[in-house]
Amino acid sequence: MQPGPPYQQGPQQPYPPQGYPGYPPPGYGPPPKKSNTGLIVGLVIGAVVLLGGGGVAAFLLLSGDSGSSSSAAPTSAKKSGPPDKYSAMPTCQKIGNGVRNLPPLETPKGEEPASTSNNEITYTRSFCSWREPNAPSATVGMYLSKSKEPGSGAGEGWAKASVENAVNDGGVLIPSMAKATKAVYAKLDSSSQCQIKFYQGNVEAEIIVTGPDPSGTVNQTVCKENALKVAKATSEAIG
Protein backbone atom coordinates (compact mmCIF):
# COMPACT_ATOMS: atom_id res chain seq x y z
CA MET A 1 0.00 0.00 0.00
CA GLN A 2 1.27 3.35 -0.85
CA PRO A 3 1.19 5.95 1.80
CA GLY A 4 -1.54 8.64 1.43
CA PRO A 5 -0.94 12.36 1.13
CA PRO A 6 0.37 14.13 4.17
CA TYR A 7 -2.18 15.55 6.63
CA GLN A 8 -3.13 19.12 5.88
CA GLN A 9 -4.59 21.47 8.45
CA GLY A 10 -8.03 22.75 7.61
CA PRO A 11 -8.76 26.45 7.11
CA GLN A 12 -8.48 28.68 10.18
CA GLN A 13 -11.62 30.06 11.70
CA PRO A 14 -11.97 33.76 10.96
CA TYR A 15 -12.90 34.49 14.60
CA PRO A 16 -11.74 33.13 17.93
CA PRO A 17 -13.77 30.39 19.53
CA GLN A 18 -17.27 31.06 20.80
CA GLY A 19 -17.51 32.87 24.03
CA TYR A 20 -14.21 34.76 23.75
CA PRO A 21 -14.72 38.10 25.39
CA GLY A 22 -15.45 40.88 22.97
CA TYR A 23 -16.12 38.68 19.92
CA PRO A 24 -19.31 37.01 18.61
CA PRO A 25 -19.66 33.30 18.14
CA PRO A 26 -18.69 31.70 14.81
CA GLY A 27 -21.09 32.35 11.96
CA TYR A 28 -21.89 35.91 13.01
CA GLY A 29 -20.53 39.04 11.48
CA PRO A 30 -18.61 41.76 13.32
CA PRO A 31 -20.58 43.77 15.92
CA PRO A 32 -22.39 46.82 14.56
CA LYS A 33 -20.78 50.16 15.22
CA LYS A 34 -22.34 52.20 17.98
CA SER A 35 -24.14 55.32 16.84
CA ASN A 36 -22.82 58.65 18.21
CA THR A 37 -25.93 60.55 17.18
CA GLY A 38 -27.40 60.65 20.69
CA LEU A 39 -24.11 61.73 22.22
CA ILE A 40 -23.69 64.52 19.68
CA VAL A 41 -27.25 65.72 20.24
CA GLY A 42 -26.68 65.68 24.00
CA LEU A 43 -23.45 67.63 23.70
CA VAL A 44 -25.12 70.20 21.46
CA ILE A 45 -28.02 70.64 23.90
CA GLY A 46 -25.60 70.86 26.83
CA ALA A 47 -23.55 73.47 25.01
CA VAL A 48 -26.67 75.52 24.33
CA VAL A 49 -27.69 75.33 27.99
CA LEU A 50 -24.20 76.25 29.16
CA LEU A 51 -24.01 79.12 26.75
CA GLY A 52 -27.43 80.33 27.78
CA GLY A 53 -26.64 79.99 31.48
CA GLY A 54 -23.22 81.55 30.99
CA GLY A 55 -24.83 84.44 29.22
CA VAL A 56 -27.19 85.05 32.14
CA ALA A 57 -24.33 84.68 34.61
CA ALA A 58 -22.20 87.05 32.58
CA PHE A 59 -25.04 89.58 32.49
CA LEU A 60 -25.54 89.33 36.24
CA LEU A 61 -21.82 89.59 36.81
CA LEU A 62 -21.54 92.66 34.64
CA SER A 63 -24.60 94.15 36.28
CA GLY A 64 -23.13 93.46 39.71
CA ASP A 65 -19.78 94.91 38.72
CA SER A 66 -21.45 97.99 37.36
CA GLY A 67 -23.45 98.52 40.55
CA SER A 68 -20.54 97.88 42.90
CA SER A 69 -18.28 100.06 40.82
CA SER A 70 -20.67 103.00 41.05
CA SER A 71 -21.30 102.51 44.77
CA ALA A 72 -17.59 102.23 45.54
CA ALA A 73 -16.68 105.32 43.56
CA PRO A 74 -14.75 107.79 45.74
CA THR A 75 -16.65 110.86 46.83
CA SER A 76 -15.32 114.36 47.02
CA ALA A 77 -17.59 115.46 49.87
CA LYS A 78 -16.01 118.11 52.05
CA LYS A 79 -16.46 118.62 55.77
CA SER A 80 -18.70 121.48 56.74
CA GLY A 81 -19.33 123.30 60.00
CA PRO A 82 -19.50 126.71 61.65
CA PRO A 83 -17.21 129.28 60.03
CA ASP A 84 -14.35 130.63 62.11
CA LYS A 85 -15.79 133.47 64.15
CA TYR A 86 -12.49 135.01 65.23
CA SER A 87 -9.19 135.68 63.49
CA ALA A 88 -7.37 137.18 66.51
CA MET A 89 -7.42 137.15 70.31
CA PRO A 90 -7.93 140.17 72.56
CA THR A 91 -5.08 141.91 74.34
CA CYS A 92 -4.40 141.34 78.03
CA GLN A 93 -5.03 145.02 78.70
CA LYS A 94 -8.55 144.75 77.26
CA ILE A 95 -9.31 141.79 79.54
CA GLY A 96 -7.86 143.50 82.61
CA ASN A 97 -10.01 146.58 82.07
CA GLY A 98 -13.09 144.44 82.77
CA VAL A 99 -11.99 143.31 86.25
CA ARG A 100 -11.59 145.51 89.33
CA ASN A 101 -8.69 145.24 91.81
CA LEU A 102 -6.52 142.92 89.75
CA PRO A 103 -2.81 142.72 90.63
CA PRO A 104 -0.37 144.34 88.17
CA LEU A 105 -0.18 142.79 84.70
CA GLU A 106 3.06 141.05 83.81
CA THR A 107 4.43 141.95 80.40
CA PRO A 108 2.65 139.66 77.94
CA LYS A 109 4.46 137.83 75.16
CA GLY A 110 1.62 138.22 72.68
CA GLU A 111 0.26 135.64 70.28
CA GLU A 112 2.57 132.74 69.45
CA PRO A 113 2.33 129.31 67.74
CA ALA A 114 0.95 126.43 69.80
CA SER A 115 1.55 122.74 69.22
CA THR A 116 -1.32 120.50 68.12
CA SER A 117 -1.90 117.07 66.59
CA ASN A 118 -4.71 118.46 64.42
CA ASN A 119 -3.46 119.07 60.88
CA GLU A 120 -6.73 120.76 59.88
CA ILE A 121 -6.11 123.93 61.87
CA THR A 122 -3.54 126.63 62.54
CA TYR A 123 -3.14 126.87 66.31
CA THR A 124 -1.90 129.89 68.29
CA ARG A 125 -1.92 130.88 71.96
CA SER A 126 -1.70 133.91 74.21
CA PHE A 127 -1.16 134.23 77.98
CA CYS A 128 -1.99 136.98 80.46
CA SER A 129 -0.88 136.97 84.12
CA TRP A 130 -1.65 139.36 86.98
CA ARG A 131 0.54 138.85 90.06
CA GLU A 132 1.94 140.55 93.14
CA PRO A 133 3.37 139.24 96.42
CA ASN A 134 0.94 138.13 99.15
CA ALA A 135 -2.12 138.48 96.90
CA PRO A 136 -4.23 136.14 94.79
CA SER A 137 -3.03 135.86 91.20
CA ALA A 138 -4.95 135.29 87.98
CA THR A 139 -3.82 133.73 84.71
CA VAL A 140 -5.69 133.62 81.40
CA GLY A 141 -4.65 131.29 78.60
CA MET A 142 -6.35 131.66 75.20
CA TYR A 143 -6.04 129.39 72.18
CA LEU A 144 -7.16 130.31 68.68
CA SER A 145 -8.00 127.56 66.18
CA LYS A 146 -8.12 128.70 62.55
CA SER A 147 -9.51 126.27 60.00
CA LYS A 148 -7.10 125.62 57.14
CA GLU A 149 -10.09 124.87 54.91
CA PRO A 150 -12.67 127.66 55.14
CA GLY A 151 -16.12 126.41 56.11
CA SER A 152 -14.91 123.05 57.39
CA GLY A 153 -15.77 123.84 61.03
CA ALA A 154 -12.41 122.45 62.18
CA GLY A 155 -11.58 125.55 64.21
CA GLU A 156 -14.64 125.56 66.44
CA GLY A 157 -14.65 121.76 66.57
CA TRP A 158 -11.18 121.74 68.14
CA ALA A 159 -12.05 124.48 70.64
CA LYS A 160 -15.22 122.63 71.64
CA ALA A 161 -13.35 119.35 72.19
CA SER A 162 -11.19 120.88 74.93
CA VAL A 163 -14.20 121.94 76.99
CA GLU A 164 -16.00 118.64 76.39
CA ASN A 165 -12.95 116.85 77.78
CA ALA A 166 -13.14 118.98 80.92
CA VAL A 167 -16.80 117.99 81.33
CA ASN A 168 -15.96 114.32 80.88
CA ASP A 169 -13.22 114.64 83.50
CA GLY A 170 -15.76 115.68 86.13
CA GLY A 171 -16.13 119.42 85.55
CA VAL A 172 -19.29 121.27 86.52
CA LEU A 173 -21.16 123.16 83.80
CA ILE A 174 -21.80 126.87 84.18
CA PRO A 175 -25.36 127.43 82.85
CA SER A 176 -24.68 130.79 81.23
CA MET A 177 -21.56 132.92 81.17
CA ALA A 178 -21.28 136.17 79.20
CA LYS A 179 -20.83 135.36 75.49
CA ALA A 180 -19.26 131.94 75.96
CA THR A 181 -20.67 129.05 73.94
CA LYS A 182 -20.03 126.63 76.81
CA ALA A 183 -18.24 127.02 80.14
CA VAL A 184 -17.29 124.68 82.98
CA TYR A 185 -15.63 124.73 86.39
CA ALA A 186 -12.79 122.31 85.77
CA LYS A 187 -11.98 119.67 88.36
CA LEU A 188 -8.59 120.23 90.00
CA ASP A 189 -6.64 118.25 92.56
CA SER A 190 -5.05 121.41 93.93
CA SER A 191 -6.59 123.03 97.03
CA SER A 192 -4.90 126.36 96.32
CA GLN A 193 -6.43 126.96 92.87
CA CYS A 194 -9.69 127.02 90.94
CA GLN A 195 -10.16 126.92 87.19
CA ILE A 196 -12.75 127.74 84.53
CA LYS A 197 -12.62 126.54 80.94
CA PHE A 198 -14.82 127.81 78.14
CA TYR A 199 -14.96 128.06 74.40
CA GLN A 200 -16.44 130.80 72.29
CA GLY A 201 -16.56 130.15 68.58
CA ASN A 202 -13.09 129.01 67.57
CA VAL A 203 -11.41 130.35 70.72
CA GLU A 204 -10.92 128.31 73.88
CA ALA A 205 -9.84 129.86 77.17
CA GLU A 206 -8.80 128.71 80.64
CA ILE A 207 -8.75 130.93 83.71
CA ILE A 208 -6.79 129.93 86.81
CA VAL A 209 -6.98 131.82 90.10
CA THR A 210 -4.41 130.97 92.79
CA GLY A 211 -4.46 132.01 96.46
CA PRO A 212 -1.83 134.24 98.03
CA ASP A 213 0.07 131.15 99.19
CA PRO A 214 0.48 128.67 96.32
CA SER A 215 1.13 125.87 98.80
CA GLY A 216 -1.85 126.73 101.03
CA THR A 217 -5.60 126.24 100.88
CA VAL A 218 -8.03 128.80 99.52
CA ASN A 219 -11.71 129.30 100.07
CA GLN A 220 -13.08 127.58 96.96
CA THR A 221 -16.27 129.65 96.98
CA VAL A 222 -14.36 132.94 96.91
CA CYS A 223 -11.83 131.52 94.44
CA LYS A 224 -14.55 130.48 91.99
CA GLU A 225 -16.22 133.89 92.28
CA ASN A 226 -12.94 135.61 91.37
CA ALA A 227 -12.33 133.16 88.51
CA LEU A 228 -15.82 133.83 87.19
CA LYS A 229 -15.17 137.57 87.12
CA VAL A 230 -12.00 137.09 85.07
CA ALA A 231 -13.71 134.55 82.79
CA LYS A 232 -16.59 136.94 82.05
CA ALA A 233 -14.16 139.77 81.30
CA THR A 234 -12.25 137.45 78.96
CA SER A 235 -15.42 136.40 77.13
CA GLU A 236 -16.51 140.02 76.68
CA ALA A 237 -13.06 140.99 75.42
CA ILE A 238 -13.09 138.17 72.85
CA GLY A 239 -16.27 139.81 71.52
mmCIF file with all atom_site columns, all heavy atoms in Angstrom, residues 5 7 10 26 35 37 42 46 91 97 114-115 142 158 195 213:
data_model
loop_
_atom_site.group_PDB
_atom_site.id
_atom_site.type_symbol
_atom_site.label_atom_id
_atom_site.label_alt_id
_atom_site.label_comp_id
_atom_site.label_asym_id
_atom_site.label_entity_id
_atom_site.label_seq_id
_atom_site.pdbx_PDB_ins_code
_atom_site.Cartn_x
_atom_site.Cartn_y
_atom_site.Cartn_z
_atom_site.occupancy
_atom_site.B_iso_or_equiv
_atom_site.pdbx_formal_charge
_atom_site.auth_seq_id
_atom_site.auth_comp_id
_atom_site.auth_asym_id
_atom_site.auth_atom_id
_atom_site.pdbx_PDB_model_num
ATOM 1   N N   . PRO A 1 5   ? -1.524  10.987  1.057   1.00 0.00 ? 5   PRO A N   1
ATOM 2   C CA  . PRO A 1 5   ? -0.939  12.356  1.130   1.00 0.00 ? 5   PRO A CA  1
ATOM 3   C C   . PRO A 1 5   ? -0.825  12.834  2.566   1.00 0.00 ? 5   PRO A C   1
ATOM 4   O O   . PRO A 1 5   ? -1.570  12.409  3.436   1.00 0.00 ? 5   PRO A O   1
ATOM 5   C CB  . PRO A 1 5   ? -1.955  13.219  0.349   1.00 0.00 ? 5   PRO A CB  1
ATOM 6   C CG  . PRO A 1 5   ? -3.226  12.469  0.394   1.00 0.00 ? 5   PRO A CG  1
ATOM 7   C CD  . PRO A 1 5   ? -2.858  10.988  0.443   1.00 0.00 ? 5   PRO A CD  1
ATOM 8   N N   . TYR A 1 7   ? -1.026  14.885  5.997   1.00 0.00 ? 7   TYR A N   1
ATOM 9   C CA  . TYR A 1 7   ? -2.179  15.554  6.633   1.00 0.00 ? 7   TYR A CA  1
ATOM 10  C C   . TYR A 1 7   ? -2.032  17.053  6.484   1.00 0.00 ? 7   TYR A C   1
ATOM 11  O O   . TYR A 1 7   ? -0.974  17.634  6.710   1.00 0.00 ? 7   TYR A O   1
ATOM 12  C CB  . TYR A 1 7   ? -2.251  15.175  8.119   1.00 0.00 ? 7   TYR A CB  1
ATOM 13  C CG  . TYR A 1 7   ? -3.273  15.958  8.870   1.00 0.00 ? 7   TYR A CG  1
ATOM 14  C CD1 . TYR A 1 7   ? -4.618  15.617  8.751   1.00 0.00 ? 7   TYR A CD1 1
ATOM 15  C CD2 . TYR A 1 7   ? -2.893  17.031  9.642   1.00 0.00 ? 7   TYR A CD2 1
ATOM 16  C CE1 . TYR A 1 7   ? -5.547  16.332  9.435   1.00 0.00 ? 7   TYR A CE1 1
ATOM 17  C CE2 . TYR A 1 7   ? -3.832  17.746  10.323  1.00 0.00 ? 7   TYR A CE2 1
ATOM 18  C CZ  . TYR A 1 7   ? -5.168  17.393  10.225  1.00 0.00 ? 7   TYR A CZ  1
ATOM 19  O OH  . TYR A 1 7   ? -6.098  18.113  10.919  1.00 0.00 ? 7   TYR A OH  1
ATOM 20  N N   . GLY A 1 10  ? -6.897  22.063  8.218   1.00 0.00 ? 10  GLY A N   1
ATOM 21  C CA  . GLY A 1 10  ? -8.032  22.751  7.610   1.00 0.00 ? 10  GLY A CA  1
ATOM 22  C C   . GLY A 1 10  ? -7.927  24.249  7.728   1.00 0.00 ? 10  GLY A C   1
ATOM 23  O O   . GLY A 1 10  ? -7.084  24.777  8.442   1.00 0.00 ? 10  GLY A O   1
ATOM 24  N N   . PRO A 1 26  ? -18.902 31.960  16.233  1.00 0.00 ? 26  PRO A N   1
ATOM 25  C CA  . PRO A 1 26  ? -18.687 31.700  14.808  1.00 0.00 ? 26  PRO A CA  1
ATOM 26  C C   . PRO A 1 26  ? -19.992 31.788  14.050  1.00 0.00 ? 26  PRO A C   1
ATOM 27  O O   . PRO A 1 26  ? -21.053 31.419  14.521  1.00 0.00 ? 26  PRO A O   1
ATOM 28  C CB  . PRO A 1 26  ? -18.123 30.284  14.791  1.00 0.00 ? 26  PRO A CB  1
ATOM 29  C CG  . PRO A 1 26  ? -17.561 30.077  16.139  1.00 0.00 ? 26  PRO A CG  1
ATOM 30  C CD  . PRO A 1 26  ? -18.433 30.863  17.056  1.00 0.00 ? 26  PRO A CD  1
ATOM 31  N N   . SER A 1 35  ? -23.799 54.017  17.413  1.00 0.00 ? 35  SER A N   1
ATOM 32  C CA  . SER A 1 35  ? -24.141 55.321  16.842  1.00 0.00 ? 35  SER A CA  1
ATOM 33  C C   . SER A 1 35  ? -23.804 56.435  17.828  1.00 0.00 ? 35  SER A C   1
ATOM 34  O O   . SER A 1 35  ? -24.087 56.328  19.022  1.00 0.00 ? 35  SER A O   1
ATOM 35  C CB  . SER A 1 35  ? -25.642 55.359  16.504  1.00 0.00 ? 35  SER A CB  1
ATOM 36  O OG  . SER A 1 35  ? -26.012 56.658  16.096  1.00 0.00 ? 35  SER A OG  1
ATOM 37  N N   . THR A 1 37  ? -24.955 59.482  17.402  1.00 0.00 ? 37  THR A N   1
ATOM 38  C CA  . THR A 1 37  ? -25.935 60.547  17.178  1.00 0.00 ? 37  THR A CA  1
ATOM 39  C C   . THR A 1 37  ? -26.480 61.109  18.484  1.00 0.00 ? 37  THR A C   1
ATOM 40  O O   . THR A 1 37  ? -26.559 62.321  18.696  1.00 0.00 ? 37  THR A O   1
ATOM 41  C CB  . THR A 1 37  ? -27.096 60.023  16.324  1.00 0.00 ? 37  THR A CB  1
ATOM 42  O OG1 . THR A 1 37  ? -26.581 59.500  15.129  1.00 0.00 ? 37  THR A OG1 1
ATOM 43  C CG2 . THR A 1 37  ? -28.090 61.150  16.024  1.00 0.00 ? 37  THR A CG2 1
ATOM 44  N N   . GLY A 1 42  ? -26.787 65.292  22.578  1.00 0.00 ? 42  GLY A N   1
ATOM 45  C CA  . GLY A 1 42  ? -26.684 65.679  24.000  1.00 0.00 ? 42  GLY A CA  1
ATOM 46  C C   . GLY A 1 42  ? -25.647 66.759  24.213  1.00 0.00 ? 42  GLY A C   1
ATOM 47  O O   . GLY A 1 42  ? -25.846 67.695  24.979  1.00 0.00 ? 42  GLY A O   1
ATOM 48  N N   . GLY A 1 46  ? -26.339 70.400  25.636  1.00 0.00 ? 46  GLY A N   1
ATOM 49  C CA  . GLY A 1 46  ? -25.603 70.863  26.828  1.00 0.00 ? 46  GLY A CA  1
ATOM 50  C C   . GLY A 1 46  ? -24.866 72.149  26.554  1.00 0.00 ? 46  GLY A C   1
ATOM 51  O O   . GLY A 1 46  ? -24.814 73.053  27.378  1.00 0.00 ? 46  GLY A O   1
ATOM 52  N N   . THR A 1 91  ? -6.285  141.606 73.563  1.00 0.00 ? 91  THR A N   1
ATOM 53  C CA  . THR A 1 91  ? -5.079  141.905 74.341  1.00 0.00 ? 91  THR A CA  1
ATOM 54  C C   . THR A 1 91  ? -5.347  141.693 75.824  1.00 0.00 ? 91  THR A C   1
ATOM 55  O O   . THR A 1 91  ? -6.495  141.697 76.293  1.00 0.00 ? 91  THR A O   1
ATOM 56  C CB  . THR A 1 91  ? -4.639  143.354 74.119  1.00 0.00 ? 91  THR A CB  1
ATOM 57  O OG1 . THR A 1 91  ? -5.664  144.242 74.619  1.00 0.00 ? 91  THR A OG1 1
ATOM 58  C CG2 . THR A 1 91  ? -4.399  143.635 72.639  1.00 0.00 ? 91  THR A CG2 1
ATOM 59  N N   . ASN A 1 97  ? -9.138  145.422 81.860  1.00 0.00 ? 97  ASN A N   1
ATOM 60  C CA  . ASN A 1 97  ? -10.013 146.576 82.067  1.00 0.00 ? 97  ASN A CA  1
ATOM 61  C C   . ASN A 1 97  ? -11.409 146.164 82.536  1.00 0.00 ? 97  ASN A C   1
ATOM 62  O O   . ASN A 1 97  ? -12.155 146.999 83.065  1.00 0.00 ? 97  ASN A O   1
ATOM 63  C CB  . ASN A 1 97  ? -10.144 147.385 80.762  1.00 0.00 ? 97  ASN A CB  1
ATOM 64  C CG  . ASN A 1 97  ? -8.855  148.089 80.387  1.00 0.00 ? 97  ASN A CG  1
ATOM 65  O OD1 . ASN A 1 97  ? -7.996  148.324 81.241  1.00 0.00 ? 97  ASN A OD1 1
ATOM 66  N ND2 . ASN A 1 97  ? -8.698  148.410 79.107  1.00 0.00 ? 97  ASN A ND2 1
ATOM 67  N N   . ALA A 1 114 ? 1.187   127.476 68.805  1.00 0.00 ? 114 ALA A N   1
ATOM 68  C CA  . ALA A 1 114 ? 0.953   126.426 69.797  1.00 0.00 ? 114 ALA A CA  1
ATOM 69  C C   . ALA A 1 114 ? 1.000   125.077 69.096  1.00 0.00 ? 114 ALA A C   1
ATOM 70  O O   . ALA A 1 114 ? 0.646   124.954 67.921  1.00 0.00 ? 114 ALA A O   1
ATOM 71  C CB  . ALA A 1 114 ? -0.400  126.630 70.483  1.00 0.00 ? 114 ALA A CB  1
ATOM 72  N N   . SER A 1 115 ? 1.455   124.074 69.812  1.00 0.00 ? 115 SER A N   1
ATOM 73  C CA  . SER A 1 115 ? 1.554   122.739 69.222  1.00 0.00 ? 115 SER A CA  1
ATOM 74  C C   . SER A 1 115 ? 0.198   122.042 69.246  1.00 0.00 ? 115 SER A C   1
ATOM 75  O O   . SER A 1 115 ? -0.591  122.219 70.171  1.00 0.00 ? 115 SER A O   1
ATOM 76  C CB  . SER A 1 115 ? 2.580   121.891 69.988  1.00 0.00 ? 115 SER A CB  1
ATOM 77  O OG  . SER A 1 115 ? 2.180   121.734 71.338  1.00 0.00 ? 115 SER A OG  1
ATOM 78  N N   . MET A 1 142 ? -5.396  131.714 76.323  1.00 0.00 ? 142 MET A N   1
ATOM 79  C CA  . MET A 1 142 ? -6.347  131.663 75.204  1.00 0.00 ? 142 MET A CA  1
ATOM 80  C C   . MET A 1 142 ? -5.701  130.935 74.027  1.00 0.00 ? 142 MET A C   1
ATOM 81  O O   . MET A 1 142 ? -4.492  131.079 73.780  1.00 0.00 ? 142 MET A O   1
ATOM 82  C CB  . MET A 1 142 ? -6.756  133.082 74.789  1.00 0.00 ? 142 MET A CB  1
ATOM 83  C CG  . MET A 1 142 ? -7.593  133.817 75.823  1.00 0.00 ? 142 MET A CG  1
ATOM 84  S SD  . MET A 1 142 ? -7.919  135.542 75.325  1.00 0.00 ? 142 MET A SD  1
ATOM 85  C CE  . MET A 1 142 ? -6.285  136.273 75.509  1.00 0.00 ? 142 MET A CE  1
ATOM 86  N N   . TRP A 1 158 ? -12.328 121.983 67.265  1.00 0.00 ? 158 TRP A N   1
ATOM 87  C CA  . TRP A 1 158 ? -11.183 121.737 68.139  1.00 0.00 ? 158 TRP A CA  1
ATOM 88  C C   . TRP A 1 158 ? -11.337 122.486 69.469  1.00 0.00 ? 158 TRP A C   1
ATOM 89  O O   . TRP A 1 158 ? -11.004 121.955 70.531  1.00 0.00 ? 158 TRP A O   1
ATOM 90  C CB  . TRP A 1 158 ? -9.900  122.158 67.439  1.00 0.00 ? 158 TRP A CB  1
ATOM 91  C CG  . TRP A 1 158 ? -8.646  121.764 68.143  1.00 0.00 ? 158 TRP A CG  1
ATOM 92  C CD1 . TRP A 1 158 ? -7.797  122.583 68.825  1.00 0.00 ? 158 TRP A CD1 1
ATOM 93  C CD2 . TRP A 1 158 ? -8.098  120.447 68.253  1.00 0.00 ? 158 TRP A CD2 1
ATOM 94  N NE1 . TRP A 1 158 ? -6.754  121.873 69.348  1.00 0.00 ? 158 TRP A NE1 1
ATOM 95  C CE2 . TRP A 1 158 ? -6.903  120.557 69.006  1.00 0.00 ? 158 TRP A CE2 1
ATOM 96  C CE3 . TRP A 1 158 ? -8.492  119.202 67.795  1.00 0.00 ? 158 TRP A CE3 1
ATOM 97  C CZ2 . TRP A 1 158 ? -6.104  119.452 69.311  1.00 0.00 ? 158 TRP A CZ2 1
ATOM 98  C CZ3 . TRP A 1 158 ? -7.707  118.093 68.084  1.00 0.00 ? 158 TRP A CZ3 1
ATOM 99  C CH2 . TRP A 1 158 ? -6.527  118.217 68.833  1.00 0.00 ? 158 TRP A CH2 1
ATOM 100 N N   . GLN A 1 195 ? -10.339 126.747 88.629  1.00 0.00 ? 195 GLN A N   1
ATOM 101 C CA  . GLN A 1 195 ? -10.155 126.921 87.192  1.00 0.00 ? 195 GLN A CA  1
ATOM 102 C C   . GLN A 1 195 ? -11.488 126.899 86.454  1.00 0.00 ? 195 GLN A C   1
ATOM 103 O O   . GLN A 1 195 ? -12.397 126.142 86.803  1.00 0.00 ? 195 GLN A O   1
ATOM 104 C CB  . GLN A 1 195 ? -9.249  125.820 86.628  1.00 0.00 ? 195 GLN A CB  1
ATOM 105 C CG  . GLN A 1 195 ? -8.951  125.937 85.142  1.00 0.00 ? 195 GLN A CG  1
ATOM 106 C CD  . GLN A 1 195 ? -8.070  124.792 84.653  1.00 0.00 ? 195 GLN A CD  1
ATOM 107 O OE1 . GLN A 1 195 ? -8.035  123.715 85.228  1.00 0.00 ? 195 GLN A OE1 1
ATOM 108 N NE2 . GLN A 1 195 ? -7.342  125.039 83.580  1.00 0.00 ? 195 GLN A NE2 1
ATOM 109 N N   . ASP A 1 213 ? -0.973  132.133 98.881  1.00 0.00 ? 213 ASP A N   1
ATOM 110 C CA  . ASP A 1 213 ? 0.067   131.153 99.189  1.00 0.00 ? 213 ASP A CA  1
ATOM 111 C C   . ASP A 1 213 ? -0.147  129.935 98.282  1.00 0.00 ? 213 ASP A C   1
ATOM 112 O O   . ASP A 1 213 ? -1.065  129.155 98.506  1.00 0.00 ? 213 ASP A O   1
ATOM 113 C CB  . ASP A 1 213 ? -0.014  130.739 100.662 1.00 0.00 ? 213 ASP A CB  1
ATOM 114 C CG  . ASP A 1 213 ? 1.081   129.750 101.038 1.00 0.00 ? 213 ASP A CG  1
ATOM 115 O OD1 . ASP A 1 213 ? 1.905   129.423 100.154 1.00 0.00 ? 213 ASP A OD1 1
ATOM 116 O OD2 . ASP A 1 213 ? 1.096   129.287 102.185 1.00 0.00 ? 213 ASP A OD2 1
#
